[in-house]
Amino acid sequence: MKKRVFVGGLHHESDTFNPIITGRDEIWVTRGADLFTKRESSYSGIINTLVAAGYEVIPSLVARAVPNGVWDHDYYQELKAELLQKLKEAGSIDAICLSLHGSMRVQNLGEAEQDLLQAIREVHPATPLFTSLDMHATLTKRMRHAADGFVGYKCAPHTDTYETGIHAALMVIRTLEMGKKPTMAAVRIPMLIAGEQSETSVEPMKSLIKELRSREQQQGVLACSYLLGFPWADGKENAVHAVVVTQDDQDKADRLAKELAQIFWSRKKEFGFYNETRMPSDALKATRESIESGVYPVVISDSGDNPTAGSSGDVTNFLSLILSDPVLSKLDPPLLYQGFYDPQVVREAFEKGVGASFECLLGAKFDTVKSKPVRAKATVKALKEQWEGANGADLALLDVEGVDVVVASKHVGCYDPEMMRVLGAEPKQRKAIVVKLGYLEPEIRAIAKRSMMALTTGSSDELFERLPYKNLPRPMYPLDKEFEATLELI
């Protein structure tokens, strides 16, 4: 008789500095048999591996959304109840394997993963439970003790989501075949690290990931991970964690986790921005100089308002600075800015039609604290209705006082150059492009002759000292520079 494994998950990176509540309209849910048709994600890696090994997969649901503010409490509870009901209806199962992010938060509740895992444990207190996690997961004590094993991504940008799902499934298979529950250890490292300082193709993360992989080759080691936490969440347990899962040797798990934590802490001062990084006004000056010397397209990241890191996508400070620049606001072809989350302006653009002009207040519709709307005359240059590449968002390309601006009706990531192209704007033909992004995704990077990250303001501010932390435990590196860290098992 086939062994039966229950599969599901909730996946979101929640920015607590972003006032938007991520609700039903922003969340897409895949249910039941549809989970078998998806590809290139952690849960499809889990499912395909289990099926190939002859296991029966019991699919439930996977809910996801673009990184944003915390989730709506009622909708989270609705999805949680649905998943738990499916778990109860599944009957006798041999294991549970989930695809979670690790830094999902819920309105008036806090960390979602610990809440979900503990609820699952009330139904199945002893069933082996494993989950894949994002590299930027925030491990809590309750979360750590509610599962038998975690494995996080080892690539940033996250090109190994599918492979991490495979890894999680292999832990399930090995556990069920051996008949022994694994042992896990986690050590807290008091650090905050942004994704833009931890790409795995460069040091120190390149070597640190090698340390993980080398220990995974040891006899009896199922998984080793560095979970980097999420700096744009003001949590009481936010930090980096070294996590080790072993077959049935707690002492070994404890020793390896402590060892990996000490290695990570010893290299803390090596983390930094390794791409060209500048303050906003300096970035514009460097862009003008680059264009004058014939080196373009120049791609600038508006990093402080990066929706793929959970920011609101409507902070206007950098756009205002560009509009006041006598050169960059009058380029031919115009500087191309991708993009802004502003449903009202998109609706007006569709009502007016291509070629029409109208007065608008662009931006600052959701985050009204960090910036003000830009008052401008906008001309509609192109429209795209319900573009599937942006979760069905309506898109508008507007000429805003000499700058071409992509505006979306939904909160979407701005990493894909196809979003510009479907509006008739070829980025390769532009001299300057701004994207609300942190590190550049490969598609954008391939376009740039020069790229730089501007340290702009917003809910994904890369300068952590500018963020209003209230709950973050201290001391915390790099906010606190010199202190003796206590690297403790949690």
Side-chain angles (χ1 to χ4, degrees):
M1 185 175 177
K2 288 184 178 181
K3 291 188 181 294
R4 307 175 79 240
V5 182
F6 181 88
V7 174
L10 301 176
H11 213 277
H12 192 247
E13 199 169 59
S14 309
D15 187 328
T16 64
F17 299 110
N18 177 357
I20 297 173
I21 302 298
T22 304
R24 189 182 302 266
D25 292 342
E26 289 82 32
I27 298 164
W28 60 93
V29 185
T30 307
R31 293 178 168 89
D34 288 343
L35 288 171
F36 290 94
T37 66
K38 301 294 181 180
R39 296 292 182 269
E40 300 309 316
S41 63
S42 53
Y43 70 82
S44 58
I46 290 169
I47 289 172
N48 291 346
T49 302
L50 291 171
V51 169
Y55 287 74
E56 180 183 354
V57 171
I58 314 301
S60 58
L61 65 88
V62 173
R64 302 177 65 97
V66 173
N68 205 344
V70 301
W71 274 37
D72 175 77
H73 181 273
D74 291 346
Y75 192 46
Y76 164 73
Q77 295 291 0
E78 183 180 320
L79 291 171
K80 171 187 164 185
E82 181 181 342
L83 188 147
L84 291 174
Q85 183 60 34
K86 291 180 183 297
L87 181 60
K88 293 170 184 175
E89 293 171 354
S92 176
I93 58 172
D94 297 285
I96 300 165
C97 197
L98 303 177
S99 168
L100 301 178
H101 183 284
S103 286
M104 176 178 167
R105 288 164 175 81
V106 177
Q107 183 185 27
N108 301 323
L109 179 66
E111 290 84 351
E113 287 85 2
Q114 65 182 17
D115 178 76
L116 177 66
L117 290 171
Q118 287 189 315
I120 290 172
R121 277 300 184 215
E122 291 177 8
V123 181
H124 279 272
T127 301
L129 195 169
F130 298 88
T131 175
S132 62
L133 293 173
D134 191 284
M135 179 184 283
H136 300 106
T138 303
L139 194 64
T140 68
K141 290 180 181 179
R142 288 168 56 196
M143 179 181 165
R144 176 255 179 275
H145 290 284
D148 294 299
F150 297 115
V151 59
Y153 305 156
K154 290 183 173 65
C155 296
H158 305 319
T159 56
D160 65 332
T161 59
Y162 186 85
E163 289 76 10
T164 306
I166 292 173
H167 197 148
L170 290 175
M171 287 198 292
V172 171
I173 293 168
R174 192 165 175 182
T175 296
L176 294 181
E177 290 182 352
M178 295 294 295
K180 295 180 180 180
K181 292 193 74 172
T183 47
M184 180 165 59
V187 175
R188 179 181 179 274
I189 309 164
M191 291 178 61
L192 291 179
I193 303 173
E196 287 66 36
Q197 295 180 323
S198 54
E199 284 193 48
T200 52
S201 61
V202 296
E203 297 296 346
M205 283 302 293
K206 185 176 181 179
S207 294
L208 290 168
I209 295 299
K210 286 183 179 178
E211 296 282 0
L212 299 179
R213 295 191 188 280
S214 68
R215 282 155 184 79
E216 286 180 337
Q217 300 305 310
Q218 294 183 20
Q219 183 71 26
V221 177
L222 298 182
C224 296
S225 305
Y226 282 126
L227 304 179
L228 303 186
F230 188 56
W232 300 297
D234 189 13
K236 293 180 180 179
E237 297 182 69
N238 207 350
V240 176
H241 287 84
V243 182
V244 175
V245 185
T246 54
Q247 200 161 291
D248 60 350
D249 188 340
Q250 188 65 59
D251 289 341
K252 186 171 189 176
D254 292 349
R255 176 175 55 80
L256 289 179
K258 290 177 181 177
E259 182 181 303
L260 288 168
Q262 185 58 54
I263 292 170
F264 199 100
W265 178 251
S266 71
R267 303 192 66 177
K268 63 183 179 297
K269 293 184 180 179
E270 296 179 44
F271 286 93
F273 300 118
Y274 36 79
N275 293 323
E276 184 177 354
T277 304
R278 297 174 178 269
M279 296 304 289
S281 58
D282 191 30
L284 297 188
K285 179 175 181 290
T287 299
R288 293 193 301 268
E289 293 171 349
S290 193
I291 292 172
E292 288 171 6
S293 63
V295 179
Y296 53 81
V298 179
V299 178
I300 311 171
S301 295
D302 178 0
S303 66
D305 190 34
N306 174 11
T308 56
S311 194
S312 57
D314 72 337
V315 177
T316 62
N317 297 330
F318 198 48
L319 175 61
S320 295
L321 195 63
I322 291 169
L323 292 174
S324 67
D325 188 291
V327 176
L328 297 180
S329 64
K330 293 179 173 59
L331 289 177
D332 183 19
L335 181 147
L336 183 55
Y337 203 128
Q338 181 172 285
F340 280 84
Y341 174 34
D342 194 324
Q344 181 179 327
V345 168
V346 172
R347 186 167 56 251
E348 289 183 67
F350 271 80
E351 289 173 355
K352 299 295 183 182
V354 175
S357 297
F358 62 101
E359 296 291 331
C360 72
L361 292 172
L362 176 62
K365 294 294 195 306
F366 301 94
D367 191 332
T368 59
V369 174
K370 299 182 185 70
S371 69
K372 297 178 180 179
V374 169
R375 184 180 296 275
K377 182 179 180 181
T379 300
V380 184
K381 300 184 76 170
L383 299 169
K384 179 66 176 179
E385 190 172 8
Q386 297 181 349
W387 185 49
E388 60 182 15
N391 197 25
D394 293 332
L395 304 177
L397 181 66
L398 305 179
D399 175 348
V400 178
E401 307 291 346
V403 174
D404 281 355
V405 180
V406 177
V407 190
S409 65
K410 294 184 179 182
H411 185 270
V412 298
C414 295
Y415 54 86
D416 190 350
E418 289 304 311
M419 189 185 297
M420 309 175 202
R421 293 184 176 120
V422 297
L423 291 166
E426 173 50 60
K428 291 181 180 179
Q429 297 174 357
R430 302 297 173 116
K431 295 175 181 175
I433 303 161
V434 178
V435 286
K436 283 187 179 290
L437 203 57
Y439 52 57
L440 296 184
E441 298 292 335
E443 299 85 352
I444 291 280
R445 193 187 299 274
I447 292 168
K449 290 294 189 293
R450 181 181 184 181
S451 63
M452 66 188 79
M453 187 170 73
L455 295 172
T456 55
T457 53
S459 297
S460 58
D461 199 323
E462 297 281 348
L463 298 179
F464 301 154
E465 60 269 22
R466 297 194 299 206
L467 293 168
Y469 294 109
K470 295 178 182 178
N471 301 308
L472 189 73
R474 305 294 286 267
M476 181 70 68
Y477 188 86
L479 296 175
D480 306 295
K481 298 297 184 186
E482 299 297 333
F483 64 94
E484 273 303 315
T486 303
L487 304 179
E488 298 178 332
L489 290 162
I490 67 167

